[in-house]
């Protein structure tokens, strides 16, 4: 079997129902993406004082050709001293269909000590390196 180099395009669009984490005000959320097999982290900007952040930021992550990895998205609250984790999701790479775009809201698993963590909307596109991001391909015509 011939394995081709793969990549995962991730658009971190927005979040909703993020709990108030600060003593005064709402939260200052940002998202950190990781993928198993890589030490690299990808981070959105911090959105100040909001429970409904809109990022609309795109990242391209390398994926092993066996598709065994897991995409992890952690939502954090930025603080002056130390940041607080709000929640996370895990998405197995094998659950994604190559060449197809998935736009979905995910329920965040609350961090330890949290009752609720809200939701995160991601747009995911797994494809071979060289194919354009967020453009579905007709695989029948690709040789």
């Amino acid at each position: 079997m011939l394995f081709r180099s793969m990549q995962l395009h991730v658009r971190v669009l927005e979040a909703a129902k993020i709990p108030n984490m600060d003593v005064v005000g709402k939260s200052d959320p940002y998202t950190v993406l990781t993928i198993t097999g890589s030490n690299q982290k990808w981070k959105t900007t911090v959105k100040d004082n909001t429970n409904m952040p809109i990022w609309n930021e795109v990242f391209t992550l390398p994926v092993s050709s066996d598709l065994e990895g897991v995409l992890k998205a952690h939502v954090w609250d930025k603080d002056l001293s130390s940041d607080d984790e709000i929640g996370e999701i895990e998405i197995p790479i094998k659950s994604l269909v190559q060449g197809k775009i998935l736009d979905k809201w995910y329920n965040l698993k609350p961090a330890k000590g949290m009752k609720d963590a809200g939701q995160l909307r991601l747009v995911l596109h797994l494809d071979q390196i060289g194919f354009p991001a967020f453009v579905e391909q007709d695989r029948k015509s690709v040789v």
Side-chain angles (χ1 to χ4, degrees):
M1 178 179 240
L2 176 64
F3 289 113
R4 301 197 186 270
S5 296
M6 303 291 285
Q7 58 190 3
L8 177 61
H9 304 286
V10 180
R11 183 183 306 273
V12 181
L13 270 178
E14 59 187 320
K17 301 178 185 172
I18 299 296
N20 291 341
M21 298 291 290
D22 296 339
V23 176
V24 177
K26 299 177 182 174
S27 292
D28 305 308
Y30 66 92
T31 300
V32 176
L33 303 173
T34 59
I35 198 159
T36 53
S38 173
N39 293 329
Q40 193 170 351
K41 294 181 179 184
W42 296 264
K43 180 181 164 186
T44 66
T45 56
V46 175
K47 298 299 178 182
D48 294 327
N49 198 33
T50 182
N51 300 104
M52 297 176 51
I54 297 173
W55 293 286
N56 197 24
E57 296 180 30
V58 175
F59 305 90
T60 300
L61 290 63
V63 174
S64 64
S65 58
D66 61 9
L67 305 181
E68 288 297 326
V70 175
L71 171 68
K72 296 181 180 183
H74 294 262
V75 178
W76 292 82
D77 174 47
K78 180 75 176 164
D79 284 326
L80 293 176
S81 55
S82 66
D83 297 353
D84 301 313
E85 185 177 6
I86 297 171
E88 68 173 345
I89 58 169
E90 293 186 1
I91 303 166
I93 302 302
K94 279 192 171 179
S95 70
L96 303 173
V97 177
Q98 181 183 336
K100 297 296 179 188
I101 298 167
L102 177 65
D103 183 340
K104 183 176 175 181
W105 282 96
Y106 295 90
N107 291 319
L108 292 163
K109 177 184 171 189
K112 188 174 181 177
M114 297 287 299
K115 183 179 176 185
D116 190 23
Q119 299 174 315
L120 180 65
R121 183 178 173 201
L122 301 177
V123 180
L124 305 172
H125 179 215
L126 175 69
D127 217 332
Q128 296 173 22
I129 290 176
F131 284 91
F134 304 109
V135 177
E136 288 193 5
Q137 302 292 325
D138 178 7
R139 293 290 171 225
K140 294 174 188 158
S141 65
V142 177
V143 178

